Amino acid sequence: MSTKLERTMQASDRSYSEFEGSSTWQVVSEALAALEKNKDLQLQTERRLVVGYICKQLAANQLVAKSGVAQQGAPADPLASASLRQAVG
């Protein structure tokens, strides 16, 4: 039996493909892996769905550029928006 969030994430699975291979995807995936390794977090949903969901939420809230979730090797400025730069300091 799947959770409501898992069903929502699976339904959105196709929309996560734009984030796969991006630097944001890599950072989120590595952060989750570190939390799992330290036993601070235990995923009950497939990792790619969790990573995709987080990437999509970051883009939707303009914390990363939706199409500018840079592919690996491409330069990316996560502080591209002036408001985010101010918020971070």
Side-chain angles (χ1 to χ4, degrees), residues 61-88:
N61 288 286
Q62 300 177 351
L63 297 173
V64 295
K66 186 170 184 175
S67 61
V69 180
Q71 297 300 313
Q72 287 183 327
D77 179 10
L79 304 178
S81 77
S83 60
L84 184 56
R85 257 195 303 276
Q86 289 174 351
V88 174

mmCIF file of all heavy atoms in Angstrom, residues 61-88:
data_model
loop_
_atom_site.group_PDB
_atom_site.id
_atom_site.type_symbol
_atom_site.label_atom_id
_atom_site.label_comp_id
_atom_site.label_asym_id
_atom_site.label_seq_id
_atom_site.Cartn_x
_atom_site.Cartn_y
_atom_site.Cartn_z
ATOM 1 N N ASN A 61 9.461 26.861 -6.372
ATOM 2 C CA ASN A 61 9.566 27.979 -5.436
ATOM 3 C C ASN A 61 10.704 28.926 -5.805
ATOM 4 O O ASN A 61 11.128 29.747 -5.005
ATOM 5 C CB ASN A 61 9.725 27.449 -4.011
ATOM 6 C CG ASN A 61 8.430 26.861 -3.512
ATOM 7 O OD1 ASN A 61 7.505 27.584 -3.187
ATOM 8 N ND2 ASN A 61 8.337 25.539 -3.494
ATOM 9 N N GLN A 62 11.202 28.762 -7.019
ATOM 10 C CA GLN A 62 12.229 29.621 -7.602
ATOM 11 C C GLN A 62 13.501 29.674 -6.770
ATOM 12 O O GLN A 62 14.193 30.683 -6.730
ATOM 13 C CB GLN A 62 11.673 31.026 -7.854
ATOM 14 C CG GLN A 62 10.505 31.004 -8.811
ATOM 15 C CD GLN A 62 9.889 32.366 -9.033
ATOM 16 O OE1 GLN A 62 10.203 33.325 -8.360
ATOM 17 N NE2 GLN A 62 8.988 32.435 -9.984
ATOM 18 N N LEU A 63 13.820 28.558 -6.107
ATOM 19 C CA LEU A 63 15.080 28.459 -5.375
ATOM 20 C C LEU A 63 16.183 27.949 -6.290
ATOM 21 O O LEU A 63 17.357 28.110 -5.996
ATOM 22 C CB LEU A 63 14.915 27.558 -4.149
ATOM 23 C CG LEU A 63 13.915 28.104 -3.131
ATOM 24 C CD1 LEU A 63 13.661 27.100 -2.031
ATOM 25 C CD2 LEU A 63 14.397 29.427 -2.550
ATOM 26 N N VAL A 64 15.779 27.339 -7.383
ATOM 27 C CA VAL A 64 16.666 27.005 -8.503
ATOM 28 C C VAL A 64 15.854 27.289 -9.756
ATOM 29 O O VAL A 64 14.631 27.208 -9.735
ATOM 30 C CB VAL A 64 17.153 25.534 -8.488
ATOM 31 C CG1 VAL A 64 18.016 25.246 -7.285
ATOM 32 C CG2 VAL A 64 16.003 24.557 -8.560
ATOM 33 N N ALA A 65 16.522 27.623 -10.832
ATOM 34 C CA ALA A 65 15.818 27.893 -12.080
ATOM 35 C C ALA A 65 15.271 26.594 -12.633
ATOM 36 O O ALA A 65 15.982 25.596 -12.684
ATOM 37 C CB ALA A 65 16.764 28.536 -13.080
ATOM 38 N N LYS A 66 13.990 26.580 -13.032
ATOM 39 C CA LYS A 66 13.359 25.344 -13.499
ATOM 40 C C LYS A 66 14.139 24.722 -14.652
ATOM 41 O O LYS A 66 14.521 23.575 -14.589
ATOM 42 C CB LYS A 66 11.912 25.599 -13.909
ATOM 43 C CG LYS A 66 11.186 24.328 -14.262
ATOM 44 C CD LYS A 66 9.717 24.548 -14.434
ATOM 45 C CE LYS A 66 9.025 23.217 -14.680
ATOM 46 N NZ LYS A 66 7.600 23.349 -14.747
ATOM 47 N N SER A 67 14.365 25.466 -15.702
ATOM 48 C CA SER A 67 15.124 24.907 -16.812
ATOM 49 C C SER A 67 16.619 25.079 -16.580
ATOM 50 O O SER A 67 17.417 24.452 -17.236
ATOM 51 C CB SER A 67 14.731 25.566 -18.123
ATOM 52 O OG SER A 67 15.008 26.945 -18.061
ATOM 53 N N GLY A 68 16.955 25.906 -15.624
ATOM 54 C CA GLY A 68 18.355 26.164 -15.317
ATOM 55 C C GLY A 68 18.897 25.261 -14.242
ATOM 56 O O GLY A 68 19.933 25.547 -13.673
ATOM 57 N N VAL A 69 18.185 24.190 -13.927
ATOM 58 C CA VAL A 69 18.752 23.212 -13.018
ATOM 59 C C VAL A 69 19.855 22.593 -13.850
ATOM 60 O O VAL A 69 19.631 21.692 -14.639
ATOM 61 C CB VAL A 69 17.698 22.172 -12.570
ATOM 62 C CG1 VAL A 69 18.323 21.172 -11.625
ATOM 63 C CG2 VAL A 69 16.528 22.856 -11.902
ATOM 64 N N ALA A 70 21.028 23.188 -13.727
ATOM 65 C CA ALA A 70 22.129 22.935 -14.651
ATOM 66 C C ALA A 70 22.509 21.471 -14.728
ATOM 67 O O ALA A 70 22.569 20.787 -13.719
ATOM 68 C CB ALA A 70 23.340 23.758 -14.231
ATOM 69 N N GLN A 71 22.729 21.007 -15.932
ATOM 70 C CA GLN A 71 23.227 19.652 -16.123
ATOM 71 C C GLN A 71 24.661 19.612 -15.611
ATOM 72 O O GLN A 71 25.360 20.613 -15.608
ATOM 73 C CB GLN A 71 23.180 19.265 -17.611
ATOM 74 C CG GLN A 71 21.773 19.244 -18.178
ATOM 75 C CD GLN A 71 20.873 18.249 -17.465
ATOM 76 O OE1 GLN A 71 21.255 17.112 -17.238
ATOM 77 N NE2 GLN A 71 19.676 18.679 -17.105
ATOM 78 N N GLN A 72 25.089 18.440 -15.182
ATOM 79 C CA GLN A 72 26.434 18.313 -14.648
ATOM 80 C C GLN A 72 27.448 18.859 -15.633
ATOM 81 O O GLN A 72 27.327 18.667 -16.829
ATOM 82 C CB GLN A 72 26.756 16.851 -14.340
ATOM 83 C CG GLN A 72 26.034 16.348 -13.124
ATOM 84 C CD GLN A 72 26.417 14.926 -12.791
ATOM 85 O OE1 GLN A 72 26.705 14.128 -13.672
ATOM 86 N NE2 GLN A 72 26.403 14.614 -11.526
ATOM 87 N N GLY A 73 28.419 19.570 -15.091
ATOM 88 C CA GLY A 73 29.455 20.156 -15.920
ATOM 89 C C GLY A 73 29.130 21.569 -16.361
ATOM 90 O O GLY A 73 30.004 22.319 -16.749
ATOM 91 N N ALA A 74 27.860 21.952 -16.282
ATOM 92 C CA ALA A 74 27.477 23.304 -16.669
ATOM 93 C C ALA A 74 27.521 24.194 -15.435
ATOM 94 O O ALA A 74 27.147 23.777 -14.351
ATOM 95 C CB ALA A 74 26.069 23.304 -17.256
ATOM 96 N N PRO A 75 28.003 25.417 -15.572
ATOM 97 C CA PRO A 75 28.038 26.300 -14.422
ATOM 98 C C PRO A 75 26.625 26.655 -13.981
ATOM 99 O O PRO A 75 25.730 26.815 -14.801
ATOM 100 C CB PRO A 75 28.785 27.533 -14.933
ATOM 101 C CG PRO A 75 28.648 27.483 -16.406
ATOM 102 C CD PRO A 75 28.497 26.030 -16.779
ATOM 103 N N ALA A 76 26.432 26.719 -12.687
ATOM 104 C CA ALA A 76 25.120 27.086 -12.156
ATOM 105 C C ALA A 76 25.318 28.032 -10.990
ATOM 106 O O ALA A 76 26.233 27.875 -10.204
ATOM 107 C CB ALA A 76 24.374 25.844 -11.699
ATOM 108 N N ASP A 77 24.481 29.020 -10.913
ATOM 109 C CA ASP A 77 24.522 29.948 -9.794
ATOM 110 C C ASP A 77 23.260 29.743 -8.971
ATOM 111 O O ASP A 77 22.204 30.261 -9.328
ATOM 112 C CB ASP A 77 24.605 31.396 -10.298
ATOM 113 C CG ASP A 77 24.615 32.399 -9.154
ATOM 114 O OD1 ASP A 77 24.745 31.983 -7.992
ATOM 115 O OD2 ASP A 77 24.484 33.600 -9.427
ATOM 116 N N PRO A 78 23.341 28.966 -7.869
ATOM 117 C CA PRO A 78 22.145 28.719 -7.073
ATOM 118 C C PRO A 78 21.628 29.982 -6.414
ATOM 119 O O PRO A 78 20.519 30.013 -5.918
ATOM 120 C CB PRO A 78 22.604 27.690 -6.047
ATOM 121 C CG PRO A 78 24.065 27.860 -5.965
ATOM 122 C CD PRO A 78 24.509 28.325 -7.328
ATOM 123 N N LEU A 79 22.415 31.030 -6.402
ATOM 124 C CA LEU A 79 21.997 32.290 -5.804
ATOM 125 C C LEU A 79 21.679 33.315 -6.876
ATOM 126 O O LEU A 79 21.862 34.510 -6.694
ATOM 127 C CB LEU A 79 23.096 32.820 -4.870
ATOM 128 C CG LEU A 79 23.528 31.861 -3.763
ATOM 129 C CD1 LEU A 79 24.654 32.476 -2.955
ATOM 130 C CD2 LEU A 79 22.371 31.507 -2.869
ATOM 131 N N ALA A 80 21.186 32.839 -8.002
ATOM 132 C CA ALA A 80 20.965 33.696 -9.157
ATOM 133 C C ALA A 80 19.965 34.803 -8.895
ATOM 134 O O ALA A 80 20.116 35.911 -9.399
ATOM 135 C CB ALA A 80 20.526 32.872 -10.357
ATOM 136 N N SER A 81 18.941 34.545 -8.125
ATOM 137 C CA SER A 81 17.955 35.598 -7.903
ATOM 138 C C SER A 81 18.424 36.536 -6.808
ATOM 139 O O SER A 81 19.023 36.124 -5.818
ATOM 140 C CB SER A 81 16.592 35.011 -7.533
ATOM 141 O OG SER A 81 16.580 34.599 -6.196
ATOM 142 N N ALA A 82 18.180 37.799 -6.991
ATOM 143 C CA ALA A 82 18.615 38.807 -6.028
ATOM 144 C C ALA A 82 17.984 38.570 -4.661
ATOM 145 O O ALA A 82 18.636 38.726 -3.630
ATOM 146 C CB ALA A 82 18.269 40.194 -6.542
ATOM 147 N N SER A 83 16.725 38.159 -4.642
ATOM 148 C CA SER A 83 16.058 37.950 -3.351
ATOM 149 C C SER A 83 16.690 36.805 -2.589
ATOM 150 O O SER A 83 16.837 36.863 -1.373
ATOM 151 C CB SER A 83 14.564 37.708 -3.546
ATOM 152 O OG SER A 83 14.355 36.559 -4.337
ATOM 153 N N LEU A 84 17.114 35.758 -3.293
ATOM 154 C CA LEU A 84 17.757 34.645 -2.619
ATOM 155 C C LEU A 84 19.137 35.052 -2.126
ATOM 156 O O LEU A 84 19.533 34.703 -1.022
ATOM 157 C CB LEU A 84 17.837 33.436 -3.547
ATOM 158 C CG LEU A 84 18.398 32.157 -2.935
ATOM 159 C CD1 LEU A 84 17.596 31.752 -1.702
ATOM 160 C CD2 LEU A 84 18.385 31.046 -3.945
ATOM 161 N N ARG A 85 19.857 35.835 -2.934
ATOM 162 C CA ARG A 85 21.172 36.327 -2.503
ATOM 163 C C ARG A 85 21.037 37.134 -1.227
ATOM 164 O O ARG A 85 21.817 36.990 -0.308
ATOM 165 C CB ARG A 85 21.792 37.193 -3.609
ATOM 166 C CG ARG A 85 22.860 36.479 -4.394
ATOM 167 C CD ARG A 85 23.698 37.452 -5.206
ATOM 168 N NE ARG A 85 22.931 38.271 -6.112
ATOM 169 C CZ ARG A 85 22.552 37.918 -7.324
ATOM 170 N NH1 ARG A 85 22.841 36.734 -7.776
ATOM 171 N NH2 ARG A 85 21.865 38.729 -8.087
ATOM 172 N N GLN A 86 20.008 37.983 -1.147
ATOM 173 C CA GLN A 86 19.802 38.797 0.051
ATOM 174 C C GLN A 86 19.434 37.921 1.224
ATOM 175 O O GLN A 86 19.907 38.148 2.340
ATOM 176 C CB GLN A 86 18.693 39.823 -0.195
ATOM 177 C CG GLN A 86 19.113 40.923 -1.143
ATOM 178 C CD GLN A 86 17.941 41.833 -1.478
ATOM 179 O OE1 GLN A 86 16.806 41.562 -1.137
ATOM 180 N NE2 GLN A 86 18.235 42.928 -2.161
ATOM 181 N N ALA A 87 18.599 36.920 1.019
ATOM 182 C CA ALA A 87 18.161 36.052 2.096
ATOM 183 C C ALA A 87 19.341 35.271 2.682
ATOM 184 O O ALA A 87 19.404 35.044 3.883
ATOM 185 C CB ALA A 87 17.086 35.091 1.613
ATOM 186 N N VAL A 88 20.282 34.871 1.827
ATOM 187 C CA VAL A 88 21.421 34.098 2.274
ATOM 188 C C VAL A 88 22.467 35.007 2.905
ATOM 189 O O VAL A 88 23.189 34.620 3.803
ATOM 190 C CB VAL A 88 22.018 33.293 1.096
ATOM 191 C CG1 VAL A 88 23.288 32.599 1.496
ATOM 192 C CG2 VAL A 88 20.991 32.291 0.611
#
